[in-house]
Amino acid sequence: MSEVNYNYLKLPGNYLFADIKKRVDAYLVKNPKADIIKLGIGDVTQPITPQVIKAMHKAVDDMASKETFRGYGPEQGYPFLIKAVINGEYAPLGISVEEDEIFISDGSKCDVGNIQEIFDIKCRPAICDPVYPVYLDSNVMAGRTGNMGVDGRFEGVIYLPSVKENNFCPELPAEVPGLIYLCSPNNPTGTALTKDELAKWVDYAERNKAVILYDSAYSAYIRNPELPKSIYEIPGAKKTAIEFKSFSKTAGFTGLRCAFTVVPKELKGYGPDGCKISLNSMWNRRQSTKFNGVSYIVQRGAEAVYSEEGAAETAKLTDYYMDNAAIILNGLRKAGYEVYGGENAPYIWWKLPDGVKSMDFLETLLEKCQVVGTPGVGFGPCGEGYFRLTAFGDKQATAEAVTRIIKKLA
Ligand code: MLT
């Protein structure tokens, strides 16, 4: 008998963004002429920058000649990209990372979902609420949680409310987790942890032998120079944290697919007898068994992100999206709405009027303004009453969406 992994059935039917797409598609069937502006899923809209395109064209040519052709690459990534990441990402922050601590992958979504595989099923996860749904869903699928209760929370998960009352900064939990998921700048609240706040978590993880899974996919959007762009800016973090970074939002690679995960060699997990085990070796074993690397062409494109001209183009790209964030933030604030985020992140977290449910608001916004956003409740129970707008749209369309909201919702 082929018994299924019943844990999957504990989850709601659809992944958040698939569910929203279904609702928008249904609206379009009824209103085929609707001019919809999508500020829902955080997908980029601007083309890949010229230096990256040039590098990928050259890489395509490499594949056409016997001397430069590449077959299977290293599962951990090509050394040329790993070196570029070290020099472009960590050296400027004064952080030393060794080449075999970096694992190139095809996306942070996969890595944050897969990483829990190298931890025991009894390892309890602590997860911010609201937050990117992949952390929770992947733990539910693995069987690390019980069922969802009427409050929308899964048994066995330690929820870390990140709400207006604590400035969207999660507090240390009373119950001790084995895994701590932190996302900064946070998706969806658009707020970023300070060095002091992060230092508290690093110290807590060290004291409790827990591992921090630090998703830093949006670090390129940090504009305040005081805010940390990597958890390794915090002393001791290499002993407590795995960091995930992505080219998706930094350089518009959502369709190309490239990211990297840092698993420091100093970081240890624990065996049943309490002995220390290298998580770097375990992740290496996992990746070399289940992953065959990112395409050579895409890795050459990612390498170009760190060239002098490539970095300048990438900075322009993130500035473009941050201008959109300012358009949304300023427009909604001027109209009297309460909004958060958007200053060091490409997401705007919009507080809805009291009593308005975020799923209902999705429909209202669609009907009245033909604008799509993401209901806060999709990111966790504490997201209820909020709505997320992304800054990754086209500038003109973003400005038009704000104009419609101001005119038609008032
Ligand atoms: C989001 O909209 O939250 C992100 O685009 C999802 C992702 O990065 O997978």
Side-chain angles (χ1 to χ4, degrees):
M1 188 166 61
S2 52
E3 287 174 59
V4 299
N5 177 354
Y6 202 71
N7 295 306
Y8 275 60
L9 280 82
K10 295 175 186 166
L11 287 166
N14 288 310
Y15 178 56
L16 172 63
F17 295 106
D19 187 34
I20 292 165
K21 185 174 179 307
K22 252 174 107 176
R23 287 167 189 254
V24 175
D25 288 348
Y27 178 83
L28 273 171
V29 168
K30 281 200 222 142
N31 305 275
K33 292 206 176 123
D35 171 22
I36 291 193
I37 301 176
K38 292 184 181 166
L39 301 182
I41 189 165
D43 195 5
V44 294
T45 52
Q46 299 308 298
I48 298 295
T49 56
Q51 289 302 313
V52 173
I53 292 291
K54 198 166 122 194
M56 289 197 297
H57 277 155
K58 183 174 174 313
V60 169
D61 290 341
D62 288 347
M63 295 304 246
S65 131
K66 194 156 189 218
E67 291 69 44
T68 47
F69 166 78
R70 314 276 179 132
Y72 286 128
E75 294 93 356
Q76 301 78 2
Y78 282 105
F80 63 77
L81 178 53
I82 292 176
K83 284 190 176 84
V85 166
I86 291 174
N87 295 329
E89 202 81 44
Y90 291 105
L93 298 173
I95 296 165
S96 133
V97 177
E98 289 177 34
E99 287 183 30
D100 56 359
E101 294 180 309
I102 295 189
F103 297 84
I104 306 295
S105 79
D106 60 354
S108 289
K109 181 181 189 177
C110 323
D111 286 357
V112 295
N114 292 329
I115 197 80
Q116 38 88 22
E117 261 184 43
I118 65 169
F119 295 93
D120 189 83
I121 201 76
K122 293 191 295 296
C123 222
R124 279 188 81 183
I127 300 180
C128 295
D129 175 12
V131 89
Y132 184 41
V134 175
Y135 315 145
L136 176 69
D137 288 11
S138 57
N139 275 284
V140 175
M141 287 170 171
R144 200 170 272 112
T145 74
N147 289 317
M148 185 166 78
V150 283
D151 58 357
R153 295 183 160 195
F154 282 88
E155 272 169 63
V157 175
I158 300 169
Y159 285 84
L160 306 171
S162 309
V163 289
K164 184 172 123 172
E165 290 68 29
N166 59 17
N167 292 320
F168 304 101
C169 170
E171 282 148 41
L172 301 177
E175 294 171 281
V176 179
L179 300 174
I180 302 163
Y181 288 82
L182 294 178
C183 177
S184 181
N186 182 271
N187 175 11
T189 64
T191 45
L193 296 173
T194 63
K195 282 186 185 160
D196 285 349
E197 285 156 355
L198 209 43
K200 266 192 239 161
W201 281 101
V202 167
D203 172 63
Y204 175 85
E206 165 124 49
R207 279 188 285 113
N208 291 290
K209 297 184 175 170
V211 169
I212 297 173
L213 302 171
Y214 191 70
D215 187 350
S216 173
Y218 300 97
S219 62
Y221 291 87
I222 291 178
R223 293 295 177 266
N224 177 347
E226 299 297 313
L227 294 171
K229 288 194 160 182
S230 163
I231 193 166
Y232 304 125
E233 288 181 58
I234 310 303
K238 284 191 86 183
K239 283 201 198 126
T240 56
I242 292 175
E243 178 162 281
F244 306 88
K245 277 189 191 267
S246 169
F247 293 93
S248 284
K249 312 298 159 80
T250 304
F253 274 49
T254 54
L256 286 177
R257 312 305 308 149
C258 199
F260 59 91
T261 290
V262 182
V263 189
K265 286 185 280 191
E266 294 156 58
L267 178 65
K268 306 286 184 225
Y270 295 88
D273 55 357
C275 68
K276 289 187 176 178
I277 296 171
S278 163
L279 294 174
N280 177 285
S281 306
M282 287 185 72
W283 186 242
N284 190 37
R285 184 70 173 83
R286 192 266 173 212
Q287 288 298 81
S288 37
T289 305
K290 295 195 178 183
F291 183 61
N292 248 341
V294 176
S295 97
Y296 170 69
I297 298 163
V298 170
Q299 291 195 58
R300 280 294 186 199
E303 180 191 22
V305 167
Y306 296 111
S307 67
E308 205 178 319
E309 284 165 290
E313 290 171 359
T314 305
K316 249 172 108 178
L317 188 65
T318 57
D319 282 348
Y320 174 95
Y321 292 128
M322 287 309 281
D323 286 349
N324 286 351
I327 290 171
I328 303 174
L329 205 57
N330 298 335
L332 295 190
R333 274 198 184 138
K334 248 192 187 159
Y337 292 110
E338 192 178 328
V339 275
Y340 300 92
E343 284 167 0
N344 294 290
Y347 292 125
I348 286 81
W349 195 230
W350 181 2
K351 168 91 178 67
L352 300 175
D354 286 347
V356 175
K357 297 272 184 213
S358 57
M359 275 296 176
D360 295 343
F361 190 71
L362 172 74
E363 308 288 343
T364 307
L365 202 60
L366 200 50
E367 289 287 341
K368 290 198 173 171
C369 309
Q370 284 80 53
V371 171
V372 182
T374 310
V377 74
F379 298 99
C382 288
E384 186 53 286
Y386 285 82
F387 202 73
R388 192 194 77 174
L389 293 177
T390 162
F392 287 120
D394 171 82
K395 190 160 294 164
Q396 225 180 320
T398 302
E400 166 65 17
V402 173
T403 306
R404 287 187 200 172
I405 291 170
I406 294 170
K407 264 199 203 150
K408 302 196 174 168
L409 274 194

